[in-house]
């Protein structure tokens, strides 16, 4: 099949090879959560909700001097054309959960929140006597929960999830090094293509998903499960990075807009 | 702007799902007219002064592609909606249209109306997709008119009356194809116009010529839905329809559902199917499975008969044998166990254009008017085609190309239209052109883009080439080449050096074509399309441009050339001690011909170094050959002939068998060894994407004609393995010297041809090369004239770490596609060569009626087929005059002999007979070679 029309140079949906789909981000869609966001890339629609920082629920998972980040990825039953029941914790969603967690962990300043409630207590300790240490109340560790759910799937869900999570984390006010954004790029019909949709994704060609810290230009995520010659791979990856930067630019705009609204509401 | 398209689709499991896709509309799509003030004109393709721009609708493209291809039609806008519809309906027309749109000489512009914000139309409620597309075309035409203003006229060409009416209502000028072509004032263009028989064309001006004859000749094709359900429940069988090359009234449909071939006899049962169509077949009741009588002349509607042909060289070329031995008595109708059937529907047409000439006919009375003529294709498998022409007097003695348009059940012949003229019938150039076209061989000169890829001339070995660490300098070696006389594309050379330890260093040096043909360049694309050079009797059609073929790559003597070398160390017993591959630079010291090399080896007085090398190589080659034959390699024979051509007139002066010398066998042996070594190396490195060559073992059925002949003359052949066959062929020695060769020739034509394949597609047990008795084989030694070798060179270079593997090797299906194309091209090249020899044989015998000896190779009830060893041709000899069916000759199938009743005049198979060969012209412009017994 021809994924890029050789006569007109358009992709199946009318984009040029280095066009992204239409993106849209919205902050504050789940009132109950500490931070939440909705992110759309074309027909892919993802919702993210953040809970935390809050007390670690499972003591076994706690890390010593940094906050714990947890992530759960799921797909709504209605997210694809055929409505199938999706078991929780299947191989694919576990893998994507892990990928998103690692990507977000790389930009959240977890070391700033080792056990923040304890800071107060430690402060007390310093003021009071040192031997009171024995009677310290239990130290409480922190965790951040990221929930992402795919409402509508049309290719590039993991990129969309990462972008949504970034927006939601910013909404929750969690300290981050930088904005992480992600975008995919593929290589079909001998052309590097930006932001694959479902048809292009299921063509079986290589699909490179890249996540970067937009300002510092650091790669936090790079995935591809196909073979590609090195020089072509570099081109494809460069295209994906361009895509990430464009998304970062947009996300920054959304955040700025959001902050302005907050200012208005507070009447500053 | 964003639009979403949604539609409902049924999945493979039968569930119905709704699919929603995005559809982006853009404002950066340009109109392609250079005169436009608004758009970016850098990519415009239409002509500057275009006063009229044509917009064609889908049906016009589908039916009138021959007209569009004519250079008189230009400044055409092809809308993407049209392109898409054409793609879905007819892929071959789509490819032709695509070629038109990319051809820089033609002014065809593709406008993506589906993605333009002003021309996108949404399907309305209750509107059929066809109506929606027609509306989209009108909207786009309207947009063009308002976009380009009054100075340019936009003309919508449509044959759909309703569409035209609406267009005119909406203020767009529209015309039918015919009226537009008429307005151009070029009567010869009108022949290209296909007159559609459907109702939407004005039928008034197409007068019906044969009103009285309107009777149903063929049964109606079943509707598609009925065929699909019939296929599902097993009433019908689907398969590719192949007409017998030697008998156009007999066809085969290879059906997977019954695991056998279904035979179809007669035009009525064939029911308008063409060779290559995918058809649905219904089996006839078993009592009608009669055998096509094993007569040379078949149930005649027309007077078609077997022609004199070049003797086939493999099973693929040979006439198919249909007659299993059946005791036949006069009264009982012969019943065979081969299923017979009839075509009930055509699933996919394989119509294309055909070469041939018009059937001779008297000029119609009104000279200016339209004449109906019957076209006879050169390919006998194609029925006659009815065409309309306004230039009958010009066409009668010409070879022309005709395309088929339709075939309804009321007419005996399909109707088509004239495409173009090739030239005078009987003219050698015309006939050569015809055989190239028939075999789909591209003989056009190379395009400028392709020629731009060539290195600057004159080329010579540069210091950079030598400085390359991957390239070994072997210029000091005594390298020489041995080729046929007059060979200009020398792609292999050899050297042989005695080593201190008594062993020999033997090198095979192959022209380093991949150094000049880089992957992905236009040159590479072109070569990959051509696949192989084609050798005709009087000319050669190159795969690579002449400077590469004859100069830069050719390993000529006394010049420094780049090579890819295979170097072995061999013991004096020709055992390979070590193998080494390297890119190299060589300087050949002699380009010998086979005759020269043979003469040098035979002349015991010569002791110069080259001759010594030749003798050493020959000794090694003999041992290798012996070992190979012991392993079971077949020594097959094919009746190759060689022409001596007059240098001035290019007419053949003499023909004779091609003589094979020891020198030929010596070169062949080392090439085989090099190919096998390379095959092992590349398969080792790239088990999934190596291009190899395999030769499937012949099946029992394929060997049956050979066994039947052998049994008739009391010869016992063991065909259980290639080894057994080789041994029994060796034992088959008759009283005359030619007997063994004849048996070998008969054996060869039972085999299929070897084919290329990608190693990822088959399991290793299927890699076997039957003829050579080699586990692995590939082609490495002729990269100048075969593209397969170019691919293998790249694989080998990648295996050695010299170059990167081009990305196409990672794409399995694409590699399979390349291998299939190579097989197709290779086969066509062979067919063309054979056809060329046949043509020259005819020209040769035109002036020289000859008496000669021939051998009977097949017995028929009214004659026999003879093979003429001297000229390598094969043809029928009739014992009974044509039309006389009351034959007094009796065929004895078991002994393969034919006896005259009441006498003891009989002819046995393989018997030598004296025949007279003469060119006769039973019909004007149809010369053919006739063989008669003397």
């Amino acid at each position: 099949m021809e994924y890029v029309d050789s006569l007109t140079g358009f992709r199946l949906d009318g984009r040029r090879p280095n066009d992204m789909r239409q993106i849209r981000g919205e902050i504050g869609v789940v009132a109950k959560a500490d931070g939440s966001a909705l992110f759309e890339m074309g027909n892919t629609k993802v919702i993210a909700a953040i809970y935390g920082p809050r007390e670690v629920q499972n003591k076994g998972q706690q890390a010593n001097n940094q906050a714990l980040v947890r992530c759960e990825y799921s797909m709504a039953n209605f997210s694809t054309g055929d409505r199938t029941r999706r078991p929780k914790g299947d191989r694919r969603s576990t893998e994507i959960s892990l990928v998103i967690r690692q990507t977000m962990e790389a930009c959240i300043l977890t070391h700033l929140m080792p056990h923040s409630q304890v800071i107060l207590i430690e402060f007390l300790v310093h003021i009071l006597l040192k031997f009171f240490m024995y009677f310290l109340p239990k130290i409480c560790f922190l965790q951040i929960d990221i929930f992402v759910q795919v409402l509508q799937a049309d290719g590039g869900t993991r990129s969309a999830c990462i972008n949504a999570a970034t927006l939601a984390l910013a909404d929750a006010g969690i300290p981050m090094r930088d904005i992480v954004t992600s975008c995919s790029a593929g290589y079909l019909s001998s052309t590097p293509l930006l932001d694959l949709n479902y048809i292009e994704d299921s063509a079986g060609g290589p699909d490179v998903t890249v996540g970067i810290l937009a300002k510092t230009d650091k790669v936090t995520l790079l995935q591809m499960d196909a073979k590609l010659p090195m020089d072509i791979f570099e081109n494809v990856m460069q295209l994906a990075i361009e895509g990430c930067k464009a998304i970062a630019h947009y996300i920054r705009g959304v955040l700025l807009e959001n902050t302005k609204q907050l200012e208005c509401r507070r009447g500053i | 702007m964003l639009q979403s398209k949604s539609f409902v689709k049924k999945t493979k499991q039968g569930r119905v799902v709704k699919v929603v896709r995005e559809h982006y509309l853009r404002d950066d799509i340009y109109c392609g007219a250079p005169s436009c003030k608004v758009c970016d004109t850098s990519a415009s393709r239409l002509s500057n002064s275009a006063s009229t721009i044509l917009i064609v609708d889908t049906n016009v493209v589908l039916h009138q592609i021959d007209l569009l291809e004519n250079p008189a039609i230009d400044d055409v806008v092809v809308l993407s909606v049209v392109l898409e519809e054409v793609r879905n309906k007819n892929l071959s027309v789509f490819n032709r249209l695509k070629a038109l749109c990319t051809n820089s000489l033609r002014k065809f512009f593709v406008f993506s109306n589906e993605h333009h914000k002003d021309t996108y139309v949404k399907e309305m409620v209750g509107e059929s997709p066809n109506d929606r597309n027609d509306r989209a075309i009108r909207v786009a035409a309207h947009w063009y008119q308002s976009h380009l203003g009054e100075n340019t006229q936009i003309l919508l060409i449509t044959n759909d009356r309703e569409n035209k009416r609406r267009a005119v209502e909406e203020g767009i000028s529209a015309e039918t194809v015919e009226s537009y072509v008429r307005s151009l004032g070029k009567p010869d263009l009108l022949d290209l116009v296909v007159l559609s028989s459907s109702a939407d064309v004005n039928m008034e001006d197409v007068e019906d010529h044969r009103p009285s004859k309107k009777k149903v000749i063929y049964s109606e094709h079943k509707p598609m839905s009925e065929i699909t359900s019939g296929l599902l429940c097993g009433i019908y069988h689907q398969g590719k329809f192949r007409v017998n090359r030697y008998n156009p009234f007999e066809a085969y449909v290879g059906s997977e559902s019954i695991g056998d071939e279904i035979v179809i006899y007669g035009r009525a049962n064939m029911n308008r199917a063409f060779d290559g169509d995918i058809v649905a077949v219904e089996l006839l009741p078993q009592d009608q499975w009669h055998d096509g009588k094993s007569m040379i002349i078949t149930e005649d509607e027309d007077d078609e008969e077997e022609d004199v042909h070049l003797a086939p060289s493999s099973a693929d070329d040979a006439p198919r044998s249909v007659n299993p031995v059946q005791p036949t008595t006069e009264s009982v109708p012969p019943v065979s166990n081969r299923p017979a059937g009839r075509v009930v529907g055509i699933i996919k047409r394989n119509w294309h254009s055909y070469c041939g000439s018009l059937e001779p006919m008297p000029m119609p009375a009104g000279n200016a008017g339209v004449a109906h003529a019957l076209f006879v294709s050169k390919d006998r498998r194609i029925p006659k085609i009815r065409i309309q022409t306004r230039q009958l007097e010009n066409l009668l003695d010409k070879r022309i190309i005709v395309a088929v348009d339709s075939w309804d059940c009321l007419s005996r012949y399909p109707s088509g239209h004239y495409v173009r003229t090739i030239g005078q019938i009987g003219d050698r150039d015309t006939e050569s052109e015809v055989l190239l076209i028939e075999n789909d061989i591209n003989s056009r000169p190379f395009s400028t883009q392709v020629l731009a890829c060539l290195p600057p001339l004159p080329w010579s070995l540069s210091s950079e080439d030598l400085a390359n660490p991957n390239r070994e300098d072997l210029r000091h070696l005594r390298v020489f080449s041995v080729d046929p006389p007059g060979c200009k594309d020398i792609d292999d050379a050899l050297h042989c050096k005695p080593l201190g330890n008594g062993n020999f260093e033997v090198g095979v040096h192959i022209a380093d074509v991949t150094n000049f043909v880089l992957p992905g360049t236009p040159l590479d694309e072109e070569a990959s399309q051509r696949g192989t050079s084609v050798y005709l009797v009087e000319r050669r059609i190159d795969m690579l441009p002449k400077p590469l073929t004859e100069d830069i790559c050719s390993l000529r003597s006394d010049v420094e050339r780049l090579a890819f070398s295979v170097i072995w160390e061999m013991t004096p017993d020709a055992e390979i001690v070590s193998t080494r591959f390297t890119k190299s630079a060589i300087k050949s010291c002699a380009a010998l011909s086979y005759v020269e090399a043979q003469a040098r080896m035979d002349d015991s007085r010569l002791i110069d170094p080259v001759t010594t090398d030749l003798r050493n190589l020959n000794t090694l080659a003999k041992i290798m050959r012996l070992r190979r034959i012991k392993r079971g390699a077949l020594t097959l024979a094919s009746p190759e002939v060689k022409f001596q051509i007059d240098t001035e007139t290019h007419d053949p002066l003499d023909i004779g068998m091609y003589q094979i010398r020891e020198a030929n066998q010596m070169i062949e042996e080392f090439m085989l060894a090099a190919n096998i070594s390379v095959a092992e190396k590349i398969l080792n490195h790239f088990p999934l994407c190596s291009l190899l060559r395999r030769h499937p073992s012949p099946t029992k059925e394929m060997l049956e004609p050979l066994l039947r002949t052998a049994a008739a003359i009391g010869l016992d052949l063991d065909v259980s393995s290639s080894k057994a066959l080789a041994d029994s062929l060796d034992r088959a020695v008759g009283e005359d010297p030619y007997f063994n060769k004849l048996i070998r020739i008969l054996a060869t034509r039972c085999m299929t041809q070897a084919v290329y394949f990608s190693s990822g597609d088959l399991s290793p047990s299927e890699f076997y090369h039957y003829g050579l008795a080699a586990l692995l084989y590939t082609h490495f030694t002729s990269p100048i004239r075969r593209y397969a070798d170019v691919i293998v060179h790249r694989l080998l270079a990648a295996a050695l770490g010299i170059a990167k593997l081009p990305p196409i090797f990672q794409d399995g299906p694409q590699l399979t596609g390349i291998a299939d194309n190579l097989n197709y091209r290779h086969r066509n090249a062979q067919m063309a060569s054979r056809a060329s020899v046949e043509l020259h044989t005819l020209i040769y015998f035109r002036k020289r009626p000859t008496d000669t000896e021939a051998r009977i190779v097949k017995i028929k009830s009214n004659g026999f087929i003879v093979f003429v060893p001297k000229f390598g041709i094969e043809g029928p000899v009739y014992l009974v005059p044509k039309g006389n069916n009351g034959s007094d000759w009796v065929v004895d199938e078991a002994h393969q002999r034919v006896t005259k009743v009441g006498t003891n005049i009989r002819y046995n198979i393989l018997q030598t007979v004296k025949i007279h060969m003469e060119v006769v012209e039973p019909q004007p412009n149809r010369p053919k070679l006739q063989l008669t017994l003397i």
Side-chain angles (χ1 to χ4, degrees), chain B residues 511-813:
Chain B
D512 191 6
V513 171
T514 48
N515 192 55
F516 304 101
V517 181
L518 301 175
T521 54
L523 177 61
D524 184 48
E525 302 274 312
E526 180 77 23
S528 134
Q529 266 314 304
R530 296 194 178 208
T532 170
S533 292
V534 182
Y535 291 82
L536 302 186
V537 171
E538 81 287 12
R539 67 189 274 221
R540 182 185 75 215
I541 292 126
D542 290 329
M543 178 182 88
L544 297 170
K546 201 169 174 182
L548 276 181
T549 306
E550 291 188 358
D551 185 15
I552 301 174
C553 287
S554 180
L555 304 176
R556 294 179 301 149
S557 62
D558 299 322
V559 282
E560 295 173 338
R561 288 287 176 259
L562 299 178
F564 209 151
S565 306
V566 182
I567 299 168
W568 300 287
E569 186 184 336
M570 282 187 182
T571 63
D573 295 334
E575 294 288 350
I576 295 173
V577 179
S578 66
T579 312
R580 185 160 76 84
F581 306 94
T582 178
K583 292 233 175 183
S584 59
I586 59 160
K587 187 173 177 184
S588 168
C589 66
L592 306 171
S593 71
Y594 288 125
V595 189
E596 272 178 90
Q598 191 64 45
R600 276 181 178 231
M601 285 192 283
D602 293 345
D603 188 346
S604 54
R605 286 166 303 172
L606 285 176
I607 45 157
D608 60 297
V610 171
T611 312
T612 320
D613 287 351
L614 274 171
R615 288 197 188 116
N616 285 338
L617 283 173
N618 197 22
T619 320
L620 290 172
K622 276 184 186 162
I623 304 173
M624 287 158 73
R625 185 174 171 80
L626 210 63
R627 198 181 306 142
R628 194 162 59 82
I629 289 171
K630 250 189 209 154
R631 218 169 43 219
L634 292 172
T635 320
L636 299 170
S638 60
E640 268 186 72
V641 290
K642 198 173 173 312
F643 282 87
Q644 272 188 348
I645 300 282
D646 188 319
T647 43
E648 296 281 304
T649 61
H650 296 289
D651 278 340
L653 292 174
D654 193 14
I655 52 179
M657 296 300 283
Y658 188 79
Q659 200 187 348
I660 293 182
R661 294 181 178 80
E662 228 173 42
N664 298 45
Q665 295 182 339
M666 172 185 94
I667 298 297
E668 186 194 350
E669 210 53 52
F670 284 105
M671 295 307 136
L672 290 178
N675 286 337
I676 292 172
S677 291
V678 171
E680 284 163 3
K681 177 81 179 171
I682 57 174
L683 187 69
N684 200 6
H685 270 78
F686 305 109
L688 289 180
C689 60
S690 290
L691 185 78
L692 301 178
R693 192 164 169 84
R694 73 191 180 103
H695 185 200
S697 310
T699 56
K700 261 244 151 9
E701 294 84 67
M702 290 158 66
L703 288 168
E704 206 185 272
L706 174 68
L707 290 176
R708 203 154 1 109
T709 309
I713 54 167
L715 185 69
D716 181 33
L717 283 184
D718 184 0
V719 293
S720 52
S721 71
S722 64
K723 170 87 177 131
L725 180 59
D727 288 347
S728 43
L729 282 177
D730 284 343
R731 267 184 274 115
V733 202
E735 53 270 29
D736 65 313
Y738 200 72
F739 179 80
N740 186 267
K741 178 148 192 206
L742 194 61
I743 289 286
R744 284 184 197 277
I745 288 173
L746 290 179
T748 311
R749 69 172 64 157
C750 293
M751 314 275 166
T752 48
Q753 287 190 324
V755 286
Y756 298 108
F757 67 101
S758 159
S759 58
D761 293 347
L762 295 171
S763 65
S765 63
E766 293 170 292
F767 294 179
Y768 188 66
H769 196 292
Y770 178 82
L772 296 173
L775 294 176
L776 288 178
Y777 192 65
T778 191
H779 271 163
F780 170 75
T781 52
S782 302
I784 299 180
R785 57 186 180 89
R786 287 189 304 229
Y787 189 73
D789 303 53
V790 173
I791 290 182
V792 171
H793 274 229
R794 287 188 188 139
L795 282 164
L796 183 62
L800 296 174
I802 300 173
K804 274 192 305 180
L805 201 61
I808 58 154
F809 287 98
Q810 270 133 28
D811 190 348

Side-chain angles (χ1 to χ4, degrees), chain B residues 105-123:
Chain B
L105 298 174
R106 302 299 304 275
K107 297 180 175 59
F108 277 63
F109 178 74
V110 179
F111 179 70
S112 303
N113 69 317
E114 293 285 31
H115 292 294
H116 192 284
K117 67 177 169 44
D118 296 329
T119 57
Y120 176 71
V121 296
K122 234 182 145 101
E123 195 169 305

Side-chain angles (χ1 to χ4, degrees), chain A residues 4-16:
Chain A
V4 181
D5 192 316
S6 56
L7 294 171
T8 55
F10 289 127
R11 286 153 74 173
L12 296 172
D13 55 3
R15 287 184 286 158
R16 287 190 202 280

Side-chain angles (χ1 to χ4, degrees), chain B residues 372-412:
Chain B
H372 291 261
L374 271 183
F375 164 88
V376 185
S377 169
K378 248 203 115 207
D379 186 345
R380 291 163 41 110
R381 294 172 293 178
I382 307 303
K384 291 178 184 171
I385 299 166
R386 182 179 301 282
I387 67 162
Q388 259 189 30
T389 175
R390 287 167 183 77
Q391 39 177 347
L392 186 64
E393 69 273 32
N394 288 333
L395 298 184
L396 270 178
D397 55 348
K398 297 283 190 332
R399 285 279 179 217
I400 59 172
I401 296 183
V402 158
V404 189
D405 302 321
S406 63
W407 196 352
D408 60 356
C409 52
L410 296 176
S411 63
R412 185 178 291 279

